[in-house]
Amino acid sequence: QSALTQPPSASGSPGQSVTISCSGTSRDVGTYNYVSWYQQHPGKAPKLMIYEVSKRPSGVPDRFSGSKSGNTASLTVSGLQAEDEADYYCSSYAGRNNYVFGTGTKVTVL
Amino acid sequence: QITLKESGPTLVKPTQTLTLTCTFSGFSLTTYGVGVGWIRQPPGMALEWLALIYWDDDQRYSPCLSNRLTITKDAYNNQVVLSMTNMDPVDTATYYCGYTIGTSKTAWYPTWFDPWGQGTLVTVSS
C-alpha cells in the first residue's frame, strides 16, 4: 500500500508555529475528508490529535489545527512548546480496502 | 476510561505463526459501531494498519497482508486476537491495538484509532 508523503523533519522555536504537510492522491486525501493526525513521543504509543481533517478530540489543545487543500493535508502547531517535540503521522481512509499512514515527520523545538 | 493492552510472544521464529492478544476495558465490543484494530511499527519506521474487527464480527484487513492475517474477538472476555502466519524478519515491529468507532460512510474501513495500547515488540529471528 502506498504511504502518504510527509517531510522527514520540521522545526521551530518556542512560541512559533510549524506546519507539516501530508501529500496524498485523489484516491485518498483528495477525495475523502477522513484525514487524521497522530503525535508519538519516543517509546510511546501514538496519540490522536486531529480527525476528519480538522476536528480535535477532547483534551487536545487548540494550538493544534488541521486543514486540507486538494491532495494535501496539513497540521499546524501554533505557539510551539517543548512538549510538542515528537514524531507526527498523518493517515487517511483510502477508498475501499485501505487505510494508510504517512511517512512521519520529526518535529524539533529549537 | 478506555484502556487497551497487547500481550504475546516477544520472539518468534521465521515461518511460525504469531498470535497476539489485545485485552481492553472501558467499553464493550458488543456496542454498535465499536471496533478494535491492530497497527504495527517496525523499529524507526512508519505505522502500518493491519486489521480491524467490529462489534458485529465484521472484519477488515490491509490488502497487502490479508492472506496472512486473521482477527477474532471474545467480546465477553474483552479480548481481540490477531494471528499472522508465515512470520519473517521484516515483520519485526511493535504491534499496537487501538479503539475506534466505525462508519458506513467508509464501508467500515477505519478512519482513526484512539486510544492505543502501549504496544508490544515482536522480534522475528531464528
Side-chain angles (χ1 to χ4, degrees), chain B residues 63-85:
Chain B
C64 298
L65 293 165
S66 59
N67 61 335
R68 299 175 53 203
L69 297 172
T70 302
I71 188 169
T72 60
K73 68 177 178 59
D74 180 350
Y76 296 100
N77 286 310
N78 289 353
Q79 291 184 328
V80 170
V81 175
L82 180 75
S83 296
M84 179 180 289
T85 61

Side-chain angles (χ1 to χ4, degrees), chain A residues 2-82:
Chain A
S2 300
L4 307 173
T5 302
Q6 299 179 233
S9 62
S11 62
S13 299
Q16 290 186 331
S17 295
V18 64
T19 297
I20 305 165
S21 62
C22 171
S23 178
T25 69
S26 59
R27 295 186 300 275
D28 38 63
V29 174
T31 295
Y32 304 102
N33 290 322
Y34 290 108
V35 176
S36 298
W37 289 90
Y38 298 88
Q39 177 191 65
Q40 185 179 33
H41 288 109
K44 300 296 186 181
K47 175 187 175 183
L48 181 68
M49 305 302 283
I50 296 287
Y51 67 101
E52 293 180 15
V53 177
S54 60
K55 297 179 180 178
R56 274 180 289 105
S58 174
V60 173
D62 60 7
R63 303 185 292 105
F64 292 86
S65 62
S67 63
K68 190 185 86 167
S69 177
N71 295 339
T72 299
S74 298
L75 173 72
T76 297
V77 186
S78 306
L80 264 177
Q81 299 182 4

Side-chain angles (χ1 to χ4, degrees), chain B residues 96-112:
Chain B
Y96 297 97
C97 59
Y99 167 89
T100 192
I101 296 176
T103 172
S104 60
K105 296 178 182 177
T106 62
W108 299 98
Y109 279 85
T111 61
W112 53 264

Side-chain angles (χ1 to χ4, degrees), chain B residues 8-114:
Chain B
T10 57
L11 179 66
V12 298
K13 290 179 167 43
T15 76
Q16 286 187 334
T17 294
L18 170 68
T19 300
L20 295 172
T21 299
C22 175
T23 302
F24 58 84
S25 64
F27 67 93
S28 173
L29 202 38
T30 62
T31 301
Y32 178 88
V34 171
V36 173
W38 287 91
I39 307 98
R40 71 178 179 178
Q41 184 175 36
M45 296 179 66
L47 301 161
E48 179 182 23
W49 170 64
L50 300 177
L52 169 60
I53 191 165
Y54 282 106
W55 84 102
D56 60 355
D57 251 352
D58 199 10
Q59 299 143 41
R60 296 287 183 269
Y61 294 101
S62 164
C64 298
L65 293 165
S66 59
N67 61 335
R68 299 175 53 203
L69 297 172
T70 302
I71 188 169
T72 60
K73 68 177 178 59
D74 180 350
Y76 296 100
N77 286 310
N78 289 353
Q79 291 184 328
V80 170
V81 175
L82 180 75
S83 296
M84 179 180 289
T85 61
N86 195 25
M87 293 293 285
D88 183 271
V90 299
D91 297 314
T92 294
T94 296
Y95 287 75
Y96 297 97
C97 59
Y99 167 89
T100 192
I101 296 176
T103 172
S104 60
K105 296 178 182 177
T106 62
W108 299 98
Y109 279 85
T111 61
W112 53 264
F113 291 99
D114 182 50

